[in-house]
Amino acid sequence: MTAQPPTSRPQPGASPQGDPVISLRGLTKDFQVGGLFSRRTVRALNQIDLDVERGEIMALVGESGSGKSTIARCVIRLEQPTSGQIVVDGVDVVREEPRRASHEYRGKVQMVFQDPFGSLNPIHQVRHFLERAIRLHTGVGRRENIESTLEELMATVDLPADLLDTHAYELSGGQRQRVAIARALAMEPQVILADEPTSMLDVSVRIGILNLMRRLRGAKGISMLYITHDLASARYVADRTTVMFAGELVESGRSTSVMDHPAHPYTQLLLSAVPDPDRAGSYDPVERARLRNAVLHSASCPFDGDPNAGCSATEPVRHAVGDPADRHWVRCHMYRPSAEVAARALAADKSEDDDIAQPAARGKKA
Amino acid sequence: MTGITDAAPRNVLVVSDLSVEYRGEKRTTRAVDRVSFTIGPGEAFGLAGESGCGKSTAANAIMRLLRDPAVITGGSILFDGRDVLAMSPDELRSFRWREVAMVFQSAMNSLNPVMTIGDQIMDIFTTHEGMTKKQARVRAAELLDLVQIDAGRLKAYPHQLSGGMRQRVVIAMAVALHPTLLIMDEPTTALDVVVQQEIMAQIGDLQQELGFSILFITHDMSLMIELCDRMAVMYSGRFVETAEAKGLFANPRHPYTRALINAFPPMHGPVAELTGLGEGVRFTNIPDLVEVSPGHLAALDSAGTHDILGGRS
């Protein structure tokens, strides 16, 4: 790491073996929005530090607009980060390949998109997608027979080999997503970025795709960054889960640890909203208002008073939670994201709208 | 009036053996196939299933909203004892919205972008109730208050409201004329979980206050079980299972119901491997429902097992 480290102290949740497959440091992305006269900058990502270990599924959860897809789009180099480092497999790619990603990089990092109806050209046969990926990537000549490789790929994603000759438009959503995964696997990548890979699929086949992801991680040791708003699936499929809010990370750690013992009020807020048939009387408006207030205007932190904690309202200090093996940390509750960012993020609710549209009413509503 | 005395006359809605077909030149697809259910007063009934299973088609049939090439080919729909399928266009006009209201999928985008929220709500009262503008404005403000939106927002345009607020407005509009039955087709799919939960709680509160019945359509089993009293699982136009909602979740009998429930992993306990349906597994020739325990019906064959034909797992 040559650029300035975010803090000098060792960060809770940092990589134990120090060789993560993806390592983001201070990743920041600004977008210019608005027209000629209302031009302004929106910060989609603010100083993201995140590690994905080899052979690990890391889930990135948060509400829409929290910046989780922007992280994936920066890593796959569809977006140019405003600042910060993206270190993949030991290479700082923004510095080494500033203009565009190299062929080699694209082979290492593959992406599976949300919509398998949009990501596969319907008029091509399944064979086309896989063959093209293999030939472009490995440089296998036109004449060489790659039939066995194709069949192997199909078997890996649990599709019968005779589907190789069907057209994409003939496939169901689940089958298409499996083809998209096979296409990513054809590159023999080290890491797959999966952006909501199951949200467009029919519910009954959803779990099959999640199981496939678990198996690829186990059998092939492929790392994944799994982006989702579905916390239950993150708990099911991911080794670790990181929670995003308003373009920043608020909590991270072993999935079961984060979900069963959420430490940050925003994580608690998200989890309390997940529909859960086993939980009686789930919605409590008073508790909801308390959590919302704690996210936006917290003035106290459970770690306050601990001289080693170093609570701060301006720096996103990380506090270690529970067993160190869980690598569970939570952002200091005292930290306040900028008012504009936070108000935009706790979206689609009346308190937020009051903040934006009726600033005068803000005091009395709180 | 059909003259047939219904077995449970108190039911708001009685659907019997309803079939709907989409008729094409080459082939005809049966989207709803001999489906029967009832909804009691103040009851929330859920229809679960994946896209294309016919759940929305069934809802549209109840509202008589189907158009060519969809044709209701059999069965009956009784609303408050009246035959919905025999209603004249005039009767339908007052039946819709006043007696049965519907919140469509992504309904928040159905608001007119160039009219203020207030004007759109007032329209309901001036058109359906013949109120003056002044009266309508008072009612519109009351209505927004019901879904906890400040009356000052009457002057707002839809784009000035967040997605969750727009959805609240649409729900408020649906219940404006105090319908007996509210049909909701995936009312929260486009929303984040936090907003979704608040909207669902709002719907529950409104139901308590106004006492309407609900037909709730979604693919999300967890959400459905939280809201509904009874529910049915639909597959390929057929009901494969119907029961009291919590009982069905605790003890699903049909393999498809199990796959649907497994699509939403549990939020506590150890992480255990779940199984879904294999890719390409299809159930065909789904038999009629049989009672497996009191109030719990499932489409199992007589031996209590199921048929999977044409599977390709």
Side-chain angles (χ1 to χ4, degrees):
Chain A
M1 314 294 121
T2 46
Q4 71 286 18
T7 54
S8 50
R9 299 179 315 119
Q11 287 275 21
S15 180
Q17 59 272 58
D19 181 29
V21 64
I22 299 181
S23 179
L24 309 178
R25 288 293 175 267
L27 187 68
T28 299
K29 174 70 187 170
D30 291 337
F31 286 107
Q32 302 289 329
V33 295
L36 192 58
F37 300 110
S38 58
R39 201 165 182 80
R40 62 200 172 89
T41 303
V42 171
R43 179 149 288 191
L45 296 178
N46 189 22
Q47 298 285 333
I48 302 289
D49 295 343
L50 181 71
D51 290 338
V52 181
E53 304 299 335
R54 293 179 192 275
E56 165 184 76
I57 299 183
M58 167 68 95
L60 207 49
V61 302
E63 293 181 281
S64 25
S66 60
K68 29 188 217 308
S69 288
T70 307
I71 289 188
R73 293 174 64 85
C74 283
V75 174
I76 201 76
R77 305 296 306 275
L78 283 170
E79 300 283 357
Q80 188 69 7
T82 307
S83 64
Q85 289 180 316
I86 302 172
V87 181
V88 173
D89 200 19
V91 180
D92 180 353
V93 291
V94 183
R95 179 189 296 250
E96 302 288 325
E97 303 160 6
R99 289 175 63 87
R100 63 167 63 150
S102 65
H103 204 67
E104 188 199 348
Y105 182 75
R106 292 190 194 281
K108 265 191 231 170
V109 183
Q110 279 289 305
M111 187 143 175
V112 173
F113 291 92
Q114 182 175 9
D115 180 5
F117 296 88
S119 66
L120 298 176
N121 188 338
I123 62 163
H124 285 303
Q125 291 175 340
V126 171
R127 175 183 300 282
H128 168 90
F129 304 114
L130 305 184
E131 219 178 292
R132 198 172 136 82
I134 294 169
R135 291 199 196 279
L136 277 176
H137 178 63
T138 59
V140 176
R142 275 245 162 264
R143 284 160 212 285
E144 275 175 78
N145 192 353
I146 55 169
E147 202 59 30
S148 64
T149 318
L150 293 178
E151 282 168 15
E152 214 173 281
L153 273 174
M154 293 295 274
T156 311
V157 296
D158 292 329
L159 287 177
D162 54 7
L163 281 188
L164 275 172
D165 294 310
T166 49
H167 290 87
Y169 73 85
E170 297 172 276
L171 301 178
S172 71
Q175 288 170 327
R176 285 179 198 224
Q177 201 58 294
R178 283 169 194 271
V179 171
I181 292 171
R183 177 171 62 179
L185 290 174
M187 302 289 204
E188 297 180 350
Q190 296 189 356
V191 55
I192 292 180
L193 313 177
D195 190 357
E196 305 259 14
T198 62
S199 68
M200 303 266 300
L201 303 183
D202 274 331
V203 279
S204 60
V205 301
R206 199 174 276 185
I207 204 78
I209 297 289
L210 295 179
N211 284 340
L212 174 61
M213 288 168 58
R214 276 162 62 119
R215 224 179 49 234
L216 289 175
R217 182 263 325 259
K220 300 209 165 214
I222 295 176
S223 313
M224 288 187 208
L225 186 62
Y226 172 49
I227 291 161
T228 185
H229 61 259
D230 177 0
L231 281 88
S233 75
R235 188 181 186 276
Y236 178 69
V237 80
D239 304 291
R240 286 195 296 151
T241 295
T242 299
V243 182
M244 278 194 86
F245 168 66
E248 301 184 33
L249 310 184
V250 297
E251 187 163 0
S252 178
R254 188 191 298 278
S255 299
T256 45
S257 179
V258 170
M259 308 261 185
D260 300 350
H261 310 286
H264 197 275
Y266 180 70
T267 316
Q268 291 165 1
L269 179 79
L270 266 189
L271 282 165
S272 73
V274 175
D276 186 350
D278 299 327
R279 186 177 52 195
S282 52
Y283 180 62
D284 177 354
V286 179
E287 174 67 3
R288 174 61 48 86
R290 186 190 71 77
L291 287 173
R292 203 180 286 280
N293 195 47
V295 173
L296 293 178
H297 317 290
S298 176
S300 68
C301 175
F303 294 88
D304 196 12
D306 178 351
N308 296 323
C311 287
S312 163
T314 49
E315 283 294 315
V317 176
R318 294 178 175 183
H319 300 310
V321 180
D323 186 353
D326 289 338
R327 300 175 66 185
H328 188 165
W329 60 261
V330 59
R331 189 178 73 187
C332 180
H333 296 206
M334 306 274 254
Y335 176 75
R336 290 189 186 188
S338 80
E340 180 253 336
V341 172
R344 182 165 47 82
L346 263 188
D349 182 84
K350 52 189 190 306
S351 61
E352 167 256 339
D353 288 280
D354 290 343
D355 280 352
I356 287 177
Q358 303 172 342
R362 194 169 169 178
K364 67 178 186 210
K365 290 267 161 125
Chain B
M1 299 291 146
T2 53
I4 303 163
T5 352
D6 180 50
R10 292 173 313 142
N11 280 329
V12 170
L13 184 75
V14 181
V15 175
S16 327
D17 275 332
L18 180 71
S19 292
V20 180
E21 288 178 356
Y22 286 92
R23 293 199 162 148
E25 293 211 336
K26 291 200 180 109
R27 68 191 181 114
T28 294
T29 309
R30 192 168 264 213
V32 178
D33 191 2
R34 291 162 287 152
V35 156
S36 306
F37 62 94
T38 60
I39 303 179
E43 188 184 34
F45 183 79
L47 272 186
E50 61 194 17
S51 27
C53 75
K55 52 194 195 304
S56 298
T57 305
N60 286 329
I62 293 164
M63 287 288 272
R64 287 277 308 275
L65 288 172
L66 295 174
R67 289 167 187 227
D68 260 0
V71 190
I72 296 172
T73 52
S76 67
I77 301 169
L78 294 181
F79 182 82
D80 247 351
R82 282 170 299 146
D83 187 353
V84 175
L85 299 184
M87 284 184 183
S88 67
D90 271 353
E91 284 174 300
L92 277 176
R93 251 180 80 82
S94 71
F95 168 72
R96 294 181 188 142
W97 212 327
R98 189 179 294 277
E99 298 190 78
V100 182
M102 189 158 174
V103 176
F104 295 92
Q105 209 164 348
S106 63
M108 53 196 187
N109 300 326
S110 65
L111 292 169
N112 186 337
V114 296
M115 268 174 90
T116 63
I117 299 295
D119 284 346
Q120 295 186 56
I121 301 178
M122 282 158 62
D123 253 7
I124 305 170
F125 297 114
T126 50
T127 314
H128 285 261
E129 305 258 275
M131 285 187 185
T132 63
K133 276 203 136 185
K134 208 168 171 185
Q135 290 170 314
R137 195 180 302 279
V138 175
R139 289 284 287 122
E142 286 171 12
L143 205 56
L144 279 194
D145 190 50
L146 199 61
V147 290
Q148 289 159 21
I149 295 176
D150 194 271
R153 289 308 183 89
L154 283 172
K155 293 197 192 86
Y157 287 91
H159 75 266
Q160 293 171 307
L161 303 182
S162 65
M165 288 179 93
R166 285 203 296 267
Q167 194 68 323
R168 281 172 210 260
V169 169
V170 170
I171 290 168
M173 288 169 76
V175 299
L177 302 179
H178 297 269
T180 321
L181 174 67
L182 180 63
I183 301 178
M184 290 183 290
D185 190 353
E186 307 261 12
T188 58
T189 25
L191 303 171
D192 276 320
V193 279
V194 175
V195 187
Q196 166 175 288
Q197 190 190 36
E198 285 164 7
I199 300 263
M200 294 305 290
Q202 185 96 69
I203 292 167
D205 290 350
L206 283 175
Q207 191 196 13
Q208 288 230 314
E209 203 169 325
L210 305 175
F212 49 80
S213 309
I214 292 177
L215 174 59
F216 184 58
I217 295 171
T218 184
H219 62 264
D220 187 334
M221 290 289 268
S222 321
L223 199 60
M224 176 156 282
I225 288 151
E226 280 199 344
L227 179 80
C228 292
D229 305 307
R230 283 189 307 127
M231 60 173 293
V233 176
M234 208 168 166
Y235 179 85
S236 179
R238 294 283 281 165
F239 274 11
V240 297
E241 193 158 3
T242 173
E244 184 265 321
K246 294 206 167 54
L248 188 141
F249 179 74
N251 189 18
R253 298 298 298 271
H254 197 276
Y256 181 73
T257 312
R258 254 175 256 141
L260 214 53
I261 290 172
N262 277 353
F264 301 91
M267 283 305 286
H268 18 229
V271 179
E273 174 107 11
L274 299 171
T275 48
L277 284 185
E279 202 60 66
V281 169
R282 288 285 168 262
F283 300 95
T284 51
N285 300 325
I286 297 161
D288 286 332
L289 295 170
V290 290
E291 191 154 33
V292 289
S293 62
H296 190 152
L297 287 79
L300 306 170
D301 66 22
S302 49
T305 57
H306 59 274
D307 246 0
I308 301 178
L309 297 176
R312 197 198 220 166
S313 55

